[in-house]
């Protein structure tokens, strides 16, 4: 397939790119693991997300909530912030700040014993809303004392996670969640009015009803609300085989239409019109053992989503940055279909590079098409193109992008991620799918997980320079083009150097 895009001088196209505002993480307690920190360091050095969001702030492995009975038999709450400080210190040292999700329920504060995940996060309401509110407030006050008011009040706060699912909130009780939200939001604002708080953090089950009812509740109760949150996944129900679930991708435009419906619901309330919507989780599959996550197809699909998600949403947080993640237990192999951008063993997956490439798309957008985004910076053009192929037809996509240019000479740089280049999953398979790769195998996997870099010289003509891109199946390609006049050292002739290679030596 061949496609030609001609970009006119002075043209500007709407493109809200907030791909690196936030990224997801496994439960907060996992941040105490060495490899978790190593993976996050890699992600921050290469991509640089601004915020990080995950479950488990108040779960018992973080040990924040404690209580005892006094001499009269009254329950007295106390708080231990030892682990919280370690995690927050590490986050800030990597220049990433929390998007705080408040949950799950500490066992001693829970009204029931229903839990979720291998690590048993309690999903029941608090036995005492007053003690829950105090827990939230004391945690925020501690963070302010340690890191400063200006710093901490800039951290967004989300109340709970997916309360519209029975697995995440007992009975998916809407009224009980609204009670939790109101108590929590008011408690937060009582600590400092500058905190930004939001919800309802729902996924795509009865989402229209939940969003409408939530906004009606906030309107009538006057509970604080600074932003709206929801989640977005894009697969059909998967098929289970052994440890894995195999999923078929859904139509991305159908999913985006669902998000647009949320935007319309929010805007239908005069009080909330234009309010920011944060997608605090998104990915293709919603399960942590879906091999789809490890593929180049996932990378190309996510590239298309990143080109579109900013149309209705302020931000969209990829779930998750790394595979130190244990919802269904400790993973069996490095390529187990985990959510992460980085496989265990510090191997970047193809989707890692999708985010790295979109990080560079800051500037004036001059082209946004179904398979291409181009931005103009002060001294160059940068672009990302992708060839999403659902059916493994192997069809190649040839894109020619005609950019405004003078008659100067230019350098075109390409970084190519496709199934032939930068496909560590294939290399792992060819190695025999080792569950615990050795040092040499991990080194090879990391080497195979790097984009192919190519360069070439081009010359402008008749006011344009033509950038030709060949995209293999499920490729994601970054390119940049800039003026690069040759300024050779005295006596140096590159063409003579290369031509001399053809001269035989007698």
């Amino acid at each position: 397939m061949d496609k030609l895009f001609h970009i006119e001088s002075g043209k500007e196209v709407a493109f809200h790119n907030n791909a690196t505002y936030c990224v997801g993480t496994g439960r907060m307690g996992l941040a105490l693991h060495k490899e978790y920190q190593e993976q996050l360091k890699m992600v921050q050095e290469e991509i640089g997300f601004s915020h990080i969001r995950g479950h488990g702030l108040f779960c018992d492995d973080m040990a924040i909530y404690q209580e005892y009975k006094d001499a009269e038999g009254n329950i007295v709450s106390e708080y231990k912030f030892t682990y919280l400080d370690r995690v927050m210190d590490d986050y800030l040292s990597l220049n990433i700040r929390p998007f705080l999700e408040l949950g799950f329920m500490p066992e001693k504060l829970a009204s029931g014993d229903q839990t979720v995940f291998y690590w048993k996060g309690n999903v029941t309401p608090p036995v005492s809303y007053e003690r829950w509110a105090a827990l939230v407030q004391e945690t925020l006050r501690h963070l302010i004392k340690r890191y400063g008011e200006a710093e901490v009040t800039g951290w967004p706060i989300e109340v709970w996670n997916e309360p519209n699912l029975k697995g995440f909130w007992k009975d998916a009780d809407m009224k009980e969640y609204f009670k939790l939200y109101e108590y929590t939001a008011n408690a937060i604002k009582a600590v400092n009015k500058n905190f930004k708080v939001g919800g309802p953090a729902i996924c795509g089950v009865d989402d229209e009803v939940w969003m409408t009812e939530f906004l009606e509740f906030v309107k009538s109760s006057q509970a604080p609300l600074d932003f709206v949150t929801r989640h977005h996944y894009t697969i059909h129900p998967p098929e289970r085989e052994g440890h894995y679930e195999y999923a078929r991708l859904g139509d991305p435009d159908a999913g985006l239409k669902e998000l647009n419906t949320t935007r319309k619901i929010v805007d239908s309330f005069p009080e909330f019109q234009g309010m920011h919507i944060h997608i605090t989780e998104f990915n293709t599959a919603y399960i942590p053992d879906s091999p789809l996550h490890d593929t180049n197809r996932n990378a190309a699909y996510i590239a298309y989503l990143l080109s579109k998600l900013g149309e209705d949403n302020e931000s969209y947080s990829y779930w998750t940055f790394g595979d130190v993640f244990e919802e269904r237990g400790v993973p069996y192999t490095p390529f187990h279909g985990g959510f992460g951008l980085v496989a265990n063993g510090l191997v970047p997956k193809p989707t890692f590079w999708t985010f790295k490439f979109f990080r560079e798309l800051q500037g004036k957008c001059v082209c946004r098409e179904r398979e291409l985004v181009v931005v103009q910076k002060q001294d160059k053009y940068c672009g990302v193109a992708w060839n999403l192929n659902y059916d493994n037809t192997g069809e190649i996509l040839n894109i020619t992008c005609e950019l405004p240019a003078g008659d100067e000479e230019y350098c075109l740089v390409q970084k190519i991620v496709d199934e032939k280049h930068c496909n560590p999953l294939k290399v792992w398979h060819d190695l025999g799918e080792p569950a615990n790769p050795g040092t040499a195998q991990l080194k090879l996997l990391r080497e195979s997980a790097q984009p192919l870099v190519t360069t070439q010289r081009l010359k402008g003509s008749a006011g344009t320079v033509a950038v030709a891109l060949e995209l293999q199946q499920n490729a994601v390609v970054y390119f940049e083009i800039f003026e690069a006049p040759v300024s050779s050292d005295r006596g140096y002739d590159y063409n003579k150097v290369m031509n001399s290679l053809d001269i035989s030596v007698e």
Side-chain angles (χ1 to χ4, degrees), residues 330-446:
V330 178
Y332 287 86
T333 71
F335 291 96
H336 59 278
F339 289 117
L341 296 172
V342 182
N344 292 333
L346 293 177
V347 182
K349 301 181 192 179
T351 308
F352 176 99
W353 300 105
T354 298
F355 280 87
K356 168 76 170 176
F357 296 165
F358 268 80
R359 175 76 183 187
E360 301 301 322
L361 295 184
Q362 302 297 331
K364 182 176 77 171
C365 185
V366 296
C367 179
R368 185 162 69 104
E369 301 289 344
R370 188 170 183 84
E371 53 282 290
L372 176 71
V373 176
V374 183
V375 301
Q376 182 181 9
K377 298 188 176 182
Q378 186 173 2
D379 58 348
K380 61 185 175 182
Y381 287 96
C382 302
V384 178
W386 53 91
N387 178 18
L388 177 58
N389 190 302
Y390 293 98
D391 303 319
N392 288 324
T393 62
E395 183 176 23
I396 295 173
L397 173 62
N398 292 296
I399 292 177
T400 300
C401 191
E402 294 180 343
L403 294 161
D407 294 332
E408 293 81 14
E409 292 185 328
Y410 296 82
C411 177
L412 172 66
V413 178
Q414 293 188 59
K415 299 180 181 180
I416 301 167
V417 174
D418 61 25
E419 291 171 353
K420 294 182 179 179
H421 313 101
C422 195
N423 185 357
L425 176 63
K426 180 182 183 299
V427 175
W428 177 71
H429 170 71
D430 291 343
L431 289 171
E433 302 181 8
N436 305 103
T439 301
Q441 290 174 322
L442 280 174
K443 184 174 184 292
L444 181 62
L445 286 168
R446 293 168 189 155

Side-chain angles (χ1 to χ4, degrees), residues 222-234:
Q222 295 296 297
L225 181 68
D226 298 298
F227 56 85
V228 172
T229 64
R230 65 157 297 158
H231 299 165
H232 183 58
Y233 293 94
T234 59

